[in-house]
Amino acid sequence: MNALLTLTIANIRSFTRDRTALFWTFAFPVIFVLLFGAIFSGGGSTRYAVGWVDQDGTAASAELRQAFAQITLLRLHDGSLAASLDAMRQGNLQAVVVVPHGYGAAIARSAQVIAGRTSGAAAPGGSPAPGASATPGGGAVHAGLVAPSLAPAAVELQVYTDPSQQSSSATIRQIVSQVVSSLDLALTGRPPALGVSDRTLQSQRLTNAAFLVPGILGMALMQLGVFAAVPLVAQREKLILKRLNATPLPRWTLVGSNVVLRLLIGLVQTVLLLGIGSVVFGVTVLGAPWLMALVVILGALTFTSIGYVVASFARTEESANGIVQVVQFPMMFLSGVFFPIEIMPAVLRPVAAVLPLTYLGDALRQVMVGGSAYAPLPLDLGILAAWLVVCLGIAARFFRWE
Amino acid sequence: MARGADCSGGRSGLNAELQEPVIEVDGLRKRYGDVVAVDGIGFAVRRGEIFGLLGPNGAGKTTTVEILEGLRKPDAGTVRVLGIDAARAPERIKERIGVQLQTVSLYPFLTVTEVLDLFRSFYRHSMPTAWLLEAVELGERRDAQTRHLSGGQRQRLSVALALVNDPELVFLDEPTTGMDPQARRSLWSLVQRLREQGTTVLLTTHYMEEAEQLCDRVAVMDHGHVLELGTVDELVSRRFRERAVHFETLPELDLRELGDLAGVKRAVVEDGQTVLYTADVGATIGALLARTEALGLEPRNLGIRRATLEDVFLDLTGHALRE
Ligand SMILES: Nc1ncnc2c1ncn2[C@@H]1O[C@H](COP(=O)(O)OP(=O)(O)OP(=O)(O)O)[C@@H](O)[C@H]1O
Ligand SMILES: [Mg+2]
């Protein structure tokens, strides 16, 4: 125990006295968050200009418009479909929402169904139960979001977005689906509970920064773990590991102290990024702190084990550095950390589906900002754990101390 | 500092163990690819002695030492260290041995004291940091990070790390490489102090003077073989029978009066010293003292010189140890 403590302290000292390593570990993610946050116009203060095309013209559709108008992030501009799409092509609108003909009738139908099911506890105002179909400019992708309570044929809201404006498009689609599902919630007959509408409000403010902060935290934890290979290989190359092997120090202590160091660094990075997220971008953690801690720790462990795998096969510090880059660089861009996986080219999506960072980013996003899920949280954690176990097995088999 | 009555738990049958060699090597072999680094060597090191491994570069010294330390696995042969099979159960010897590797490896960003304290925490018993600093004369640099130490200072710290656990057996692989003459001498006296406490030392060296000064016995290695083993005196006298008795007198003696002394083969004067080459040192000195007394003279700076280890080396390996 004493050895574990002194070794961990020695590792912390070595780490903090190495200014270069310190800078890259902490300044890099911070710069990233600030830079990306700024580039993607995050800030939370921007408002999106959204074209509003009402082809239905009923009381129900007017009511829907009102619901959207309440969202401060959106500025609605009424117009015909053709005119609105024109405006969007010219860059004056960032998205166009179309309420199709027959919307009011469908709402009325499903209100009856619900009324029958819930013994007359009708939703106030007979709110609609629409689905939203997000149709990016190309129009091919149909990311339909159908509310679960909708048994009968629902009408779909169409959302046109510009694929070249990835982050604002993602945000707008996010907002639309939030509004739709909250209306849907109202339709199921439960009175709009205060807690629910609070959460909805938070989620409605899911800005670019809210998308980016969890992603960049995931990226930082990934790098932290994978880069563990470099000092490890350096210590082996400098024969420090060999020298330690000549002492009675148990190997688990050596590994343990390295892992503790990584976890501590991960903790500091998390606090740092969450601090910036909240102060600069107003992104706060919605989920339970213990859940947040669980995700961060599991993520740091998983990627550290990948670092150990790299260290098992790299012979020199330089080659370790090279392999680390080969591992971390594509992962950074293929895991939906900076933009949603749904907008990635179809060929790359299966790659994203196996990368652990995809699931860490997704888990963090769900826990931190209640973002829409790529996979259910337990699946995210399960896949991270599976990576951890496999990598530990490989490292245990192939790692060399000398 | 008190050895003898200390730690080293479970020393049962103390007497039996005192008889038993601290290191026993038999038929040891190790190859790397098609390089045979150690080719079937055997030797034993007794408790409390300073044993030297000498040999030119690539002779197999480091390989042998690191097998004894449990850091490398032999291909064949047996190695018993402190009565334990070092190849099978290296974990059991680590608490009791001290290791200084040929290549110094230290945490670059830690200070001297921090490195010592770190290593102290690995052992159940350890020497005080202040003692260790004093032993290798690094007190002045105690707060310097190791990356800022000079080569010789790093070497000294590396030696101190080998002594952290007050070991029964210390391995020093070229401990004085890179040290200035003063540091070298102070390390020699440290090693001699260790022997006085009963510590066994196995060291490798390229310095003949070091082996002559320090080692009770030496093994000369080359190409993975032990060529010769014994005390320095034995090694030298096995190959070079004649010795030189040298002295000064005032006034100088006539060489013709000395040529007929018992055992003397040749008599010369070198730098004002009279030198008698003899096959029988005892007889020659006895006769010389009788002769000078008869002449009313007193020989001063009387001494015996022999061929050196260096000569043995050249003779054995065909090339000088140090280029
Ligand atoms: N890890 C290794 N891999 C391959 N060959 C090795 C390895 N270690 C040593 N050798 C080879 O084994 C032989 C003996 O090396 P060793 O280091 O034991 O010699 P040494 O007597 O300590 O030499 P020096 O005086 O230069 O330190 C050399 O030919 C060396 O090249
Ligand atoms: Mg060597």
Side-chain angles (χ1 to χ4, degrees):
Chain A
M1 256 350 254
N2 184 27
L4 179 63
L5 188 67
T6 49
L7 197 56
T8 306
I9 292 172
N11 281 335
I12 294 173
R13 283 190 175 130
S14 293
F15 175 74
T16 52
R17 287 174 192 172
D18 187 352
R19 303 283 161 201
T20 337
L22 205 60
F23 174 82
W24 284 112
T25 312
F26 293 122
F28 187 65
V30 167
I31 291 171
F32 237 85
V33 135
L34 292 174
L35 213 64
F36 270 58
I39 288 173
F40 291 119
S41 78
S45 55
T46 16
R47 297 180 69 187
Y48 299 105
V50 174
W52 186 263
V53 183
D54 188 348
Q55 299 175 332
D56 191 46
T58 60
S61 67
E63 217 165 318
L64 185 64
R65 188 190 186 284
Q66 222 166 34
F68 274 93
Q70 274 168 8
I71 294 160
T72 47
L73 267 177
L74 305 183
R75 218 174 29 232
L76 299 184
H77 299 268
D78 296 286
S80 73
L81 180 58
S84 297
L85 290 181
D86 257 359
M88 192 171 122
R89 275 188 208 101
Q90 281 157 24
N92 296 330
L93 295 176
Q94 272 126 329
V96 175
V97 177
V98 181
V99 186
H101 182 69
Y103 170 83
I107 294 302
R109 259 202 320 281
S110 74
Q112 277 164 12
V113 173
I114 299 288
R117 209 195 291 152
T118 58
S119 359
S127 295
S133 84
T135 315
V141 185
H142 181 94
L145 190 146
V146 180
S149 65
L150 284 183
V155 191
E156 286 186 334
L157 284 189
Q158 288 144 19
V159 182
Y160 292 85
T161 50
D162 181 350
S164 67
Q165 297 291 313
Q166 292 162 350
S167 61
S168 67
S169 301
T171 312
I172 292 168
R173 281 207 304 277
Q174 191 90 37
I175 293 169
V176 171
S177 50
Q178 286 294 340
V179 173
V180 166
S181 57
S182 73
L183 287 176
D184 184 45
L185 202 72
L187 190 74
T188 59
R190 271 171 271 150
L194 211 78
V196 172
S197 52
D198 256 3
R199 245 189 64 189
T200 323
L201 270 173
Q202 263 278 11
S203 291
Q204 279 169 2
R205 274 193 255 114
L206 194 74
T207 56
N208 294 325
F211 185 88
L212 275 173
V213 171
I216 286 176
L217 176 57
M219 177 201 80
L221 293 174
M222 177 274 284
Q223 290 181 334
L224 153 89
V226 178
F227 272 98
V230 178
L232 202 60
V233 173
Q235 284 192 358
R236 177 172 54 204
E237 219 184 351
K238 290 199 197 104
L239 302 182
I240 290 177
L241 294 186
K242 178 175 174 180
R243 182 62 187 84
L244 292 177
N245 198 21
T247 74
L249 179 77
R251 284 179 177 173
W252 71 262
T253 312
L254 185 56
V255 175
S257 76
N258 278 327
V259 170
V260 169
L261 173 69
R262 294 289 137 186
L263 286 178
L264 285 176
I265 300 172
L267 189 78
V268 175
Q269 283 183 331
T270 305
V271 168
L272 207 61
L273 285 177
L274 292 187
I276 289 176
S278 124
V279 171
V280 182
F281 300 112
V283 178
T284 51
V285 178
L286 294 174
W290 69 265
L291 193 57
M292 184 68 196
L294 175 76
V295 175
V296 167
I297 289 172
L298 180 61
L301 287 178
T302 301
F303 286 103
T304 303
S305 72
I306 295 179
Y308 270 78
V309 170
V310 173
S312 301
F313 297 103
R315 276 163 192 271
T316 63
E317 192 177 346
E318 287 72 34
S319 70
N321 238 318
I323 298 175
V324 161
Q325 294 301 347
V326 167
V327 170
Q328 71 101 13
F329 209 68
M331 187 137 64
M332 197 157 85
F333 289 105
L334 293 177
S335 300
V337 165
F338 304 127
F339 38 76
I341 286 167
E342 297 88 64
I343 64 167
M344 285 190 352
V347 270
L348 291 179
R349 265 178 257 161
V351 180
V354 295
L355 292 178
L357 183 56
T358 302
Y359 299 95
L360 178 60
D362 189 51
L364 286 170
R365 206 163 279 141
Q366 289 185 52
V367 174
M368 279 176 65
V369 295
S372 68
Y374 172 76
L377 190 58
L379 183 63
D380 286 334
L381 300 183
I383 290 177
L384 286 175
W387 269 90
L388 174 62
V389 169
V390 169
C391 289
L392 282 183
I394 295 174
R397 169 75 183 71
F398 293 104
F399 189 79
R400 292 280 166 269
W401 299 87
E402 196 190 323
Chain B
M1 274 255 19
R3 153 148 326 275
D6 80 12
C7 53
S8 320
R11 251 195 233 177
S12 56
L14 194 67
N15 272 333
E17 208 175 290
L18 280 175
Q19 312 297 325
E20 184 179 289
V22 171
I23 296 174
E24 260 183 299
V25 176
D26 191 30
L28 182 65
R29 259 170 228 285
K30 176 76 181 179
R31 61 189 304 158
Y32 303 102
D34 44 304
V35 176
V36 180
V38 175
D39 195 5
I41 63 169
F43 62 88
V45 177
R46 303 170 194 140
R47 185 168 291 277
E49 78 175 335
I50 300 178
F51 189 91
L53 274 181
L54 308 186
N57 293 135
K61 306 182 294 295
T62 297
T63 304
T64 306
V65 168
E66 291 188 352
I67 290 172
L68 292 171
E69 293 161 349
L71 295 176
R72 301 192 198 192
K73 296 275 172 253
D75 295 332
T78 56
V79 275
R80 295 187 75 75
V81 175
L82 300 165
I84 295 161
D85 186 337
R88 292 248 175 74
E91 304 309 321
R92 290 181 52 213
I93 60 173
K94 287 176 181 175
E95 185 78 41
R96 296 167 63 189
I97 63 171
V99 171
Q100 187 243 332
L101 299 175
Q102 179 170 358
T103 310
V104 180
S105 50
L106 300 163
Y107 285 83
F109 289 96
L110 296 189
T111 67
V112 171
T113 316
E114 285 166 355
V115 170
L116 288 171
D117 286 338
L118 175 66
F119 275 73
R120 288 177 66 229
S121 77
F122 299 160
Y123 296 94
R124 267 174 282 158
H125 304 274
S126 60
M127 299 301 286
T129 309
W131 183 87
L132 294 163
L133 285 170
E134 195 262 329
V136 296
E137 293 169 19
L138 271 179
E140 278 175 28
R141 303 292 281 149
R142 59 189 305 151
D143 293 321
Q145 292 184 13
T146 67
R147 66 198 166 114
H148 295 141
L149 295 181
S150 75
Q153 290 168 340
R154 293 161 57 82
Q155 192 77 21
R156 272 141 69 185
L157 178 53
S158 171
V159 170
L161 290 179
L163 304 180
V164 153
N165 56 332
D166 191 17
E168 294 165 60
L169 168 62
V170 183
F171 295 95
L172 303 173
D173 199 351
E174 297 188 23
T176 56
T177 301
M179 287 189 190
D180 63 37
Q182 195 196 327
R184 179 167 301 152
R185 276 177 200 283
S186 100
L187 183 83
W188 291 351
S189 73
L190 172 64
V191 171
Q192 272 152 353
R193 269 188 285 156
L194 291 175
R195 174 175 46 189
E196 279 156 28
Q197 295 159 39
T199 308
T200 311
V201 179
L202 189 153
L203 62 84
T204 75
T205 183
H206 285 169
Y207 298 102
M208 290 301 106
E209 197 193 348
E210 188 161 292
E212 284 173 339
Q213 291 271 330
L214 276 183
C215 295
D216 297 311
R217 291 192 305 141
V218 298
V220 179
M221 281 188 79
D222 197 10
H223 300 299
H225 296 277
V226 171
L227 303 178
E228 198 86 60
L229 195 153
T231 65
V232 172
D233 276 339
E234 282 166 4
L235 259 58
V236 172
S237 56
R238 239 176 252 166
R239 268 156 206 280
F240 301 94
R241 294 253 160 64
E242 288 179 8
R243 302 223 182 167
V245 173
H246 56 89
F247 62 94
E248 292 166 20
T249 54
L250 266 177
E252 224 166 74
L253 276 170
D254 190 337
L255 287 179
R256 276 166 301 179
E257 290 180 65
L258 299 168
D260 62 335
L261 288 177
V264 172
K265 300 263 167 70
R266 231 157 19 106
V268 291
V269 175
E270 288 173 1
D271 301 335
Q273 274 200 331
T274 310
V275 184
L276 307 175
Y277 288 93
T278 172
D280 185 346
V281 174
T284 301
I285 289 183
L288 171 68
L289 290 177
R291 177 76 47 90
T292 51
E293 199 174 282
L295 292 169
L297 295 171
E298 195 190 344
R300 292 185 305 155
N301 299 332
L302 177 63
I304 308 161
R305 212 168 57 204
R306 42 172 179 148
T308 60
L309 201 51
E310 190 102 37
D311 299 318
V312 175
F313 222 89
L314 282 166
D315 201 41
L316 277 172
T317 66
H319 47 103
L321 244 189
R322 286 198 297 136
E323 287 83 315

